[in-house]
Amino acid sequence: MKSLPFIIIVLGTLLLFACEKKSAPTLAATENSLFTSDAIIQNLRVTNPRFLTALSHPTQHIIAGTDGTIISLQVNSADAVGGNSLTTGVSNSIFALATNSDASQWVAVGEEGLLLHSTDGGAHWIKKISHSDKKLLAIVFDAAHNTWVAGGEQGALLYSSNGADWRTIGLENNANISAIYAVPTRASLIALGDNGLLLISTNGGSKWQTIPVDAELSLARLVVYGEVLLLATTDGKILRSDSYWQHWETIATGSNAFLTGLHHQADTDTLIAISSAGEILLSDDGGTLWAPVAMLDAPLNSISAFDQTLWVTGDSGTLAYSHNGGRTWSPIKTGTEADIEGLIAVADGQLVAYGAGGLLLHSKNQGQDWQWLKAPALDFVHQLSQTHAGLWLAVGAKGLLLSSTNGGQDWQAVNATTQQSDYFFSLIHDQQSNRLIAAGPPGTVVVSDDGGDHWRVRLALGDATQGYFHQLLGNDKGTLVAIAGPGKIHYSTDAGEHWDGVASDDNRQLFSGTYSHPLKRFIAVGQGGRITLSADGKHWQAQESGVSHSLQMTYADGKRLWGEVNKGYCSTPTTPGNSGTR
């Protein structure tokens, strides 16, 4: 039965086709068109983007991610951090950010050759012509030459002398460029990527020299200190050069995973590498010998240092720190399963972590304690409902309960006594009791008497085969019904405080239902064309539908009962006992 929710969700989005085997009507606006509408569908911005990249400057802190989302963080006098969404006018994901020395210009790059330019600290962004439709993954400002370079998939390499006007740089190698670094000590730029791609520019990025490296290695990260250059690869190896970057030594680290981060800690003179396998590796001899010092339970995404403390972030809420140059590590319980992409410092001792589902975590004391700036929203949302006093609520997978008090622009996680195994499909507001009720498998019903701030569990069968509860129905007089699919119908006569099961006349599941106020009846439809009606929620009477296909949704308009099936649609008179008509 695990596939049933998916089936219902998919079928709920399908257009209704005629039951007879005729050619489907087109959606063209003809005189006999089946569908006519003047409705306008607005594309609203996603409110829980995955934050992918960030850049911190003494005067500005910018975080960006999917759907063209860019936010600016501000620290007020009370050491509180707030975020303002910045208008970009694009829906492409943003993968990298860069700013010039005085933060007078900012550039963001992303999907389909996206180039955004800002000259007012990120308050407004203008889309620039990139002359490329490739995904741009990297952007850098070269302070030595006051130039900009961006790179990405299939050898895309772009150059600008002012951050606003861009031209393409032709390369013989069309391998993906994964990162571009500025090396101030050499007044150089280094680009690296797949198939051993390693490029160096000494004139600000308008001309590039190819450095021969093992073509079987894909280069991911770079560290430069002194005369030594280290490159991390996607298969756990390190390339090391201390001879003006022309001759390279391949070093095995003991890992064969993607090295997702590489860092040199100057105060302890140690090198640390992290991997997609959760490994933390250390070298204290300049990168010649490596040893594992920690193994975390999730892929690691970033490594950074603030006030001589090292931090690593990773998937599934992974966050850990080291006070001794990476020799030992202490994990932190973040209370989330959201992937943490990285950290930035926004003020003295203040850190912000960002990641999936709009995750923003804030620490005021160098990472000792953490609070939500924005709780992540990761799981499927199955129903939205606007209740009294302008409150919006959403329910979904893994006990998800979210609330919004500003028309759905921002959402907060609701503190509820739910379990990860609870899966809420339905939410209703009982007018008589002014109570909110949510239900779903495995036979769970929760209620709230204070507008959704707090919830209590009123039914917990713990067995989805006994109560899948696809939908809640109510008559606004305190009688509620939890539709069974599979399992028994359950009903309540006191607005969800107490529940009883109803003996079913057959084992066909119910998928959907409605309450008809003109008829004063509960109506439920389901498997094999099943239709059943009840005046009190306790006693149910079966009615023939005239179809053998499962009914996925139903609607009663006072004259007819409409039931949607996956191979057509039918309407049946609401008088019990009459057969249905197509």
Side-chain angles (χ1 to χ4, degrees), residues 403-576:
S403 67
S404 173
T405 56
N406 60 359
Q409 297 181 51
D410 298 293
W411 293 84
Q412 299 80 37
V414 175
N415 185 20
T417 55
T418 56
Q419 306 293 325
Q420 285 281 304
S421 57
D422 294 329
Y423 205 117
F424 294 118
F425 280 142
S426 186
L427 169 71
I428 63 172
H429 176 217
D430 181 66
Q431 299 289 340
Q432 185 180 60
S433 64
N434 202 27
R435 173 177 281 181
L436 298 168
I437 306 99
T444 304
V445 177
V446 295
V447 302
S448 173
D449 294 309
D450 59 3
D453 289 335
H454 301 87
W455 294 77
R456 297 181 293 122
V457 177
R458 305 315 302 149
L459 182 65
L461 299 177
D463 184 354
T465 64
Q466 298 302 311
Y468 213 90
F469 297 166
H470 280 141
Q471 189 174 354
L472 282 171
L473 310 176
N475 62 1
D476 290 333
K477 295 182 179 180
T479 300
L480 304 175
V481 172
I483 294 300
K488 296 180 179 179
I489 294 175
H490 278 69
Y491 76 98
S492 170
T493 58
D494 55 7
E497 192 67 24
H498 301 91
W499 293 82
D500 293 298
V502 176
S504 178
D505 58 356
D506 60 39
N507 59 2
R508 287 180 294 174
Q509 301 168 33
L510 296 172
F511 298 144
S512 178
T514 187
Y515 182 79
S516 171
H517 288 278
L519 295 172
K520 298 181 179 179
R521 287 180 183 167
F522 293 98
I523 305 162
V525 301
Q527 195 174 20
R530 181 184 179 188
I531 298 178
T532 184
L533 303 93
S534 174
D536 59 4
K538 181 177 180 180
H539 303 92
W540 292 78
Q541 179 183 359
Q543 178 173 327
E544 289 299 321
S545 67
V547 296
S548 59
H549 299 294
S550 292
L551 299 173
Q552 303 290 349
M553 292 189 291
T554 185
Y555 171 73
D557 63 3
K559 296 180 179 180
R560 289 182 180 270
L561 167 65
W562 298 82
E564 183 226 348
V565 300
N566 58 346
K567 293 183 180 296
Y569 61 90
C570 67
S571 65
T572 66
T574 52
T575 304

Side-chain angles (χ1 to χ4, degrees), residues 78-212:
D79 287 338
V81 175
N84 291 330
S85 296
L86 306 176
T87 302
T88 63
V90 300
S91 59
N92 308 82
S93 293
I94 296 170
F95 298 121
L97 295 161
T99 185
N100 59 353
S101 302
D102 61 0
S104 60
Q105 295 189 75
W106 293 73
V107 177
V109 298
E111 288 181 311
E112 298 176 340
L114 177 68
L115 269 171
L116 296 175
H117 184 235
S118 174
T119 58
D120 57 5
H124 300 88
W125 296 81
I126 299 174
K127 188 176 181 179
K128 296 298 182 179
I129 298 175
S130 67
H131 306 288
S132 174
D133 60 356
K134 304 299 188 295
K135 182 186 294 185
L136 299 179
L137 302 170
I139 174 76
V140 70
F141 173 75
D142 183 2
H145 299 88
N146 290 315
T147 55
W148 304 76
V149 175
E153 291 188 337
Q154 300 179 34
L157 191 61
L158 311 177
Y159 168 84
S160 174
S161 60
N162 57 13
D165 303 303
W166 293 80
R167 64 180 176 89
T168 60
I169 302 294
L171 296 177
E172 295 181 0
N173 191 333
N174 63 352
N176 295 338
I177 296 174
S178 58
I180 306 174
Y181 294 88
V183 185
T185 57
R186 290 291 185 91
S188 302
L189 296 174
I190 299 180
L192 51 139
D194 295 348
N195 304 328
L197 178 66
L198 179 60
L199 306 171
I200 292 181
S201 173
T202 57
N203 71 339
S206 61
K207 295 182 179 179
W208 293 82
Q209 175 189 1
T210 299
I211 304 299

Side-chain angles (χ1 to χ4, degrees), residues 16-360:
L16 305 181
F17 296 97
C19 285
E20 293 78 18
K21 291 185 177 180
K22 298 179 181 179
S23 60
T26 65
L27 295 181
T30 63
E31 183 178 357
N32 298 319
S33 175
L34 187 62
F35 302 98
T36 59
S37 175
D38 295 325
I40 297 175
I41 298 176
Q42 292 182 327
N43 294 316
L44 302 179
R45 290 177 61 82
V46 175
T47 59
N48 60 325
R50 185 184 187 101
F51 293 125
L52 299 169
T53 184
L55 190 60
S56 187
H57 188 274
T59 61
Q60 186 66 289
H61 315 284
I62 301 282
I63 300 177
T66 55
D67 304 295
T69 300
I70 298 181
I71 64 170
S72 173
L73 297 178
Q74 295 88 31
V75 184
N76 63 28
S77 57
D79 287 338
V81 175
N84 291 330
S85 296
L86 306 176
T87 302
T88 63
V90 300
S91 59
N92 308 82
S93 293
I94 296 170
F95 298 121
L97 295 161
T99 185
N100 59 353
S101 302
D102 61 0
S104 60
Q105 295 189 75
W106 293 73
V107 177
V109 298
E111 288 181 311
E112 298 176 340
L114 177 68
L115 269 171
L116 296 175
H117 184 235
S118 174
T119 58
D120 57 5
H124 300 88
W125 296 81
I126 299 174
K127 188 176 181 179
K128 296 298 182 179
I129 298 175
S130 67
H131 306 288
S132 174
D133 60 356
K134 304 299 188 295
K135 182 186 294 185
L136 299 179
L137 302 170
I139 174 76
V140 70
F141 173 75
D142 183 2
H145 299 88
N146 290 315
T147 55
W148 304 76
V149 175
E153 291 188 337
Q154 300 179 34
L157 191 61
L158 311 177
Y159 168 84
S160 174
S161 60
N162 57 13
D165 303 303
W166 293 80
R167 64 180 176 89
T168 60
I169 302 294
L171 296 177
E172 295 181 0
N173 191 333
N174 63 352
N176 295 338
I177 296 174
S178 58
I180 306 174
Y181 294 88
V183 185
T185 57
R186 290 291 185 91
S188 302
L189 296 174
I190 299 180
L192 51 139
D194 295 348
N195 304 328
L197 178 66
L198 179 60
L199 306 171
I200 292 181
S201 173
T202 57
N203 71 339
S206 61
K207 295 182 179 179
W208 293 82
Q209 175 189 1
T210 299
I211 304 299
V213 177
D214 188 345
E216 294 183 358
L217 298 175
S218 291
L219 311 179
R221 300 291 184 267
L222 173 148
V223 159
V224 177
Y225 68 102
E227 295 298 321
V228 177
L229 185 145
L230 297 174
L231 299 174
T233 72
T234 58
D235 61 356
K237 295 183 176 63
I238 294 286
L239 296 182
R240 185 180 187 278
S241 174
D242 56 7
S243 57
Y244 298 98
W245 308 349
Q246 298 297 321
H247 303 288
W248 297 88
E249 176 186 6
T250 302
I251 298 170
T253 63
S255 171
N256 57 8
F258 189 142
L259 296 181
T260 54
L262 190 61
H263 176 79
H264 175 240
Q265 187 68 357
D267 60 317
T268 57
D269 198 25
T270 51
L271 291 161
I272 302 96
I274 61 173
S275 81
S276 60
E279 302 157 304
I280 302 179
L281 309 164
L282 183 139
S283 172
D284 56 9
D285 65 352
T288 301
L289 297 175
W290 293 81
V293 292
M295 172 65 80
L296 302 182
D297 295 330
L300 300 179
N301 298 321
S302 74
I303 179 169
S304 50
F306 306 106
D307 297 325
Q308 298 182 343
T309 298
L310 283 168
W311 292 89
V312 295
T313 69
D315 290 357
S316 303
T318 299
L319 186 62
Y321 67 90
S322 172
H323 289 319
N324 55 10
R327 298 184 186 279
T328 59
W329 292 83
S330 301
I332 291 177
K333 292 183 179 181
T334 57
T336 180
E337 289 297 313
D339 299 343
I340 303 178
E341 294 289 347
L343 283 174
I344 58 172
V346 296
D348 291 340
Q350 297 199 50
L351 305 175
V352 171
Y354 57 90
L359 173 142
L360 290 175

